[in-house]
Amino acid sequence: MFEDIHALVEFAEAGSIARAASRLHRTPSAITRQMQRLEAELGAQLLDRSVKPPRLTPLGIRVVAQSRDVLKHVDDLKALAATDAEPSGLFRIGVSHALADGTLVKPVQALTKRFPKLRLSLLSDLAGDLIAKVRAGQLDLAVVLRPHARTPTWQAMSASQWVLNPPGCLLRAALLGILDKVGPPATIAAEIHNMHLQLAFIKAGYGLGLLPERFVRRYAGGAIRIIKPKDLELQMTIAIVRAGPLGSLEAVAAQFKDHLARAFGK
């Protein structure tokens, strides 16, 4: 039916079956059969054949108008899947709480400058929830921290009170896994879903916290002492999580990865 719709639009624009056939590199009889097939499919007369050459009926004119919309939507679908098409529309990015700060501004600005037809949506959440959203198709990609830890001798802090992200945070899970191996279970004084609020509670003496050093230096103003046990190695790697091909948005994902590497590599 799609090819028949295409033939109808070409007929309307060319003004005759012969010219439509020439434009589509087909024979006039083939175009005639397509017109008849489309009329049978719709159960309506689209061409007035009482005149020479045939012309569109009033209903045919209305069908052509909607057919143009159909063809445009099909073209849009092809562009959406084409990796060489200009990216446009909504690009949904998830960012783990530990990375959601001003460092992201430049990478995002670079994307909107490079791809002017793009609209960006940013969501900050726990890494586990972001990964689930990527798998469910609710995000195009997510930027999360992946822990790489070796067990330290950290008994002195294992019994301290902690201000941490809620369950689902990979950073929290890595820390608690270390503490469970070196001493009694850690006491969690507060579970807070926002790094700035965590920082406020830590400054108030509510407990120890685990926050990115760059974030603490930027926002704590020297009011918090940064503790770095020499026998503790808790390293985090920034990872981009995707569920599959992104079509025309592949270029956006690649650019965003490059800009992130430069922004967080400083």
Side-chain angles (χ1 to χ4, degrees), residues 97-98 126 162-167 169 172 188-203 206-208 210-211:
H97 288 310
L126 296 174
W162 289 88
V163 176
L164 298 173
N165 285 332
C169 171
R172 165 193 166 123
I188 301 176
E191 295 178 341
I192 301 175
H193 213 271
N194 179 278
M195 287 198 300
H196 290 278
L197 192 55
Q198 285 183 36
L199 192 60
F201 271 70
I202 294 168
K203 289 171 68 175
Y206 214 71
L208 300 178
L210 186 63
L211 293 170

Side-chain angles (χ1 to χ4, degrees), residues 145-179:
L145 288 174
R146 297 174 62 91
H148 301 281
R150 294 190 312 188
T151 304
T153 56
W154 214 19
Q155 295 89 346
M157 295 184 185
S158 62
S160 300
Q161 293 198 128
W162 289 88
V163 176
L164 298 173
N165 285 332
C169 171
L170 299 180
L171 194 62
R172 165 193 166 123
L175 171 68
L176 295 183
I178 292 172
L179 294 178

Side-chain angles (χ1 to χ4, degrees), residues 171-239:
L171 194 62
R172 165 193 166 123
L175 171 68
L176 295 183
I178 292 172
L179 294 178
D180 287 345
K181 293 178 181 179
V182 300
T187 301
I188 301 176
E191 295 178 341
I192 301 175
H193 213 271
N194 179 278
M195 287 198 300
H196 290 278
L197 192 55
Q198 285 183 36
L199 192 60
F201 271 70
I202 294 168
K203 289 171 68 175
Y206 214 71
L208 300 178
L210 186 63
L211 293 170
E213 182 179 350
R214 56 183 173 77
F215 175 82
V216 174
R217 293 193 183 281
R218 179 178 297 176
Y219 295 107
I224 289 181
R225 183 166 63 96
I226 297 176
I227 302 172
K228 292 183 178 180
K230 64 179 181 179
D231 53 356
L232 172 66
E233 185 177 332
L234 179 60
Q235 297 178 348
M236 304 299 290
T237 300
I238 297 177

